Amino acid sequence: MYNLARPLLFAFDAESAHGLSLAALRLLPISSARRSPPELSVNFAGLHFPSPVGLAPGYDKNAEIFAKAYGLGFGFVEIGTVTPLPQAGNPRPRLFRLVEDRAVINRMGFNNEGMEAAASRIGAIARQHRVGPLGINIGANKDSEDRIADYEKAMARLAPLADYVTVNISSPNTPGLRALQDKSALDDLLLRVRAVAPDGPPLFLKVAPDLEPADIDDIAAVAIERGIDALIISNTTITRPPLQSSHATEAGGLSGAPLKSLAQQRLTDFRKATGGRIGLIGVGGIASAEDAYARIRAGASLVQLYSALVYEGPYLARRINKGLIELLRRDGFANISEAVGVDVD
C-alpha cells in the first residue's frame, strides 16, 4: 500500500507530506497493538518494553498521534522535542528528502506548540492506551536567557505524564545548544533537571554523533556520576559524507542511511566508555532488522527510528520485529537482551 501512496506523498514537499501523514493517523481510531513475542520483551531502566523498536522524537512533536503509533508495531514512542513556550522554529523550507541517498536533512529548530499543549493532549489519553512506554523529549527555547531553567520548567510540567524523560542537548539547529554537552555545563544541567523530580521517571540523555574521544569520555563520566538512566546515541550529524542528492548542501542535521556507520561507531564508543554501566539506545540510519540487530549487538538495549519511515513506510517497525525474531533464533538467543553488546564486550 505504501509503495502505491509514496509517489503521491513525494509530490509534496517533505514537511507538507509529514503533515499529511499526521492528519491521516489522527483520523484513525486507536487500535489494539499486536502482542509482541516474548523474545522481544525488554526490561530497561525500570520499565517494560514489549519490543525494542521505538518511534524516535521528531515525528510526533506535539503528542498528536502517539497512542496510535503503538498499532504500527512500535514498542515505545517518544514525542517532542517539547519546549516550555511554543515556537515557530526556523523558516521554511527546513526539511528535505535526499531520495538518492535515502536520507533527510532538517533544520526545523524545535518547532512545537509548547509544553502546555503537549501536556493537555497526553493527559487526554488514558494510560491504558500506552501499550509501551511513552517518552517525552524536552529542550530549550531558542531565545531563552537561561536554557537550563527551560529544561527545569519542562521537566517539572511533563515528568508526571511521562514514563521517561529525555534531555535533548544534541540538536544542531538551535544555536549554542550543543555547548551543553561540555563537561561542566552538562554536570550542572543534569544536576538541576534531576533535582526538579528526584523521584520522577527515568531520565535519559540524547547526545550528538559529532564528538571527539575526550567528549565521549566526559559525557559518559558525567552521566554515570549523575545517575542518568540511559544515553540515546545519536541525533543527526552536521558532517557530510559523500551524497548524491541535489539537497546535499542544505544546512541542518543529516539523518537516514548516510548516518548509519557514524551512529554505529558512536554507540560502540559509548559502550566501551561506560563499560556497560549505563543503558544505551541506538538511533540513526536504522532501516531493517539487520540494522537494528547490529546496533543491539553493539550495546543498545533499545533502538529508535524515524527517517527510514519516509522510504520504507509506516509498518517498518512490524517488519523489523519479525526480522529480529528470525535473527535471534538463528543465533540461539532466547531473548533480545541476551544479544546486547555481544560484539563489543
Side-chain angles (χ1 to χ4, degrees):
M1 288 290 291
Y2 184 71
N3 288 336
L4 295 175
R6 197 173 85 167
L8 176 61
L9 284 173
F10 277 33
F12 294 88
D13 69 86
E15 189 165 354
S16 295
H18 176 252
L20 287 172
S21 71
L22 286 173
L25 284 170
R26 281 197 298 268
L27 293 174
L28 294 177
I30 297 175
S31 61
S32 298
R34 299 179 180 181
R35 183 180 296 274
S36 297
E39 295 99 318
L40 294 183
S41 67
V42 178
N43 292 315
F44 179 80
L47 301 171
H48 175 73
F49 295 78
S51 157
V53 182
L55 179 61
Y59 185 81
D60 189 12
K61 287 178 174 289
N62 296 304
E64 297 176 82
I65 55 84
F66 70 91
K68 301 177 182 183
Y70 299 105
L72 301 176
F74 292 103
F76 64 107
V77 177
E78 188 171 323
I79 65 113
T81 298
V82 180
T83 56
L85 299 176
Q87 63 181 23
N90 294 321
R92 296 177 69 163
R94 55 194 179 179
L95 183 65
F96 306 89
R97 301 185 201 91
L98 285 68
V99 177
E100 298 88 346
D101 305 292
R102 302 184 75 79
V104 173
I105 289 176
N106 93 82
R107 50 173 181 265
M108 304 299 286
F110 284 175
N111 59 304
N112 75 107
E113 296 175 8
M115 65 185 185
E116 292 302 332
S120 178
R121 292 194 182 103
I122 294 168
I125 302 293
R127 279 186 175 261
Q128 68 201 48
H129 292 302
R130 299 185 195 177
V131 179
L134 172 67
I136 303 180
N137 185 296
I138 60 173
N141 283 109
K142 179 179 180 179
D143 297 328
S144 175
E145 294 183 1
D146 185 345
R147 286 183 170 167
I148 293 181
D150 273 16
Y151 286 97
E152 291 176 302
K153 292 173 187 175
M155 184 71 174
R157 181 67 180 95
L158 298 172
L161 301 168
D163 293 307
Y164 70 86
V165 173
T166 296
V167 174
N168 183 1
I169 54 172
S170 53
S171 171
N173 300 314
T174 298
L177 187 74
R178 287 188 172 189
L180 289 173
Q181 294 178 133
D182 294 342
K183 188 173 184 180
S184 61
L186 179 61
D187 188 63
D188 187 33
L189 169 67
L190 297 182
L191 182 66
R192 288 171 58 179
V193 171
R194 182 75 281 179
V196 170
D199 299 317
L203 189 62
F204 298 176
L205 175 68
K206 186 165 186 172
V207 301
D210 310 314
L211 297 169
E212 297 298 325
D215 300 325
I216 294 168
D217 291 339
D218 285 347
I219 291 170
V222 172
I224 292 168
E225 175 69 22
R226 292 304 171 198
I228 296 305
D229 296 280
L231 292 171
I232 301 179
I233 305 160
S234 61
N235 211 318
T236 58
T237 179
I238 57 174
T239 63
R240 291 293 184 269
L243 299 169
Q244 301 177 51
S245 171
S246 61
H247 292 305
T249 59
E250 292 289 348
L254 174 71
S255 60
L259 177 58
K260 180 168 70 171
S261 61
L262 177 60
Q264 178 90 18
Q265 182 59 54
R266 285 296 166 271
L267 179 70
T268 299
D269 293 340
F270 271 100
R271 179 71 173 188
K272 293 177 179 178
T274 60
R277 287 175 289 173
I278 188 169
L280 304 177
I281 300 173
V283 197
I286 296 172
S288 68
E290 289 75 16
D291 294 339
Y293 193 50
R295 219 59 65 92
I296 289 164
R297 291 178 65 99
S301 296
L302 306 170
V303 298
Q304 291 178 316
L305 52 93
Y306 170 18
S307 295
L309 297 174
V310 174
Y311 300 102
E312 302 294 339
Y315 290 105
L316 176 59
R318 286 188 185 178
R319 298 198 298 274
I320 290 177
N321 287 335
K322 181 179 179 181
L324 285 174
I325 291 291
E326 296 171 357
L327 292 167
L328 288 175
R329 291 173 179 171
R330 181 198 70 186
D331 292 346
F333 295 119
N335 181 271
I336 194 74
S337 296
E338 295 177 9
V340 174
V342 295
D343 289 341
V344 178
D345 298 345

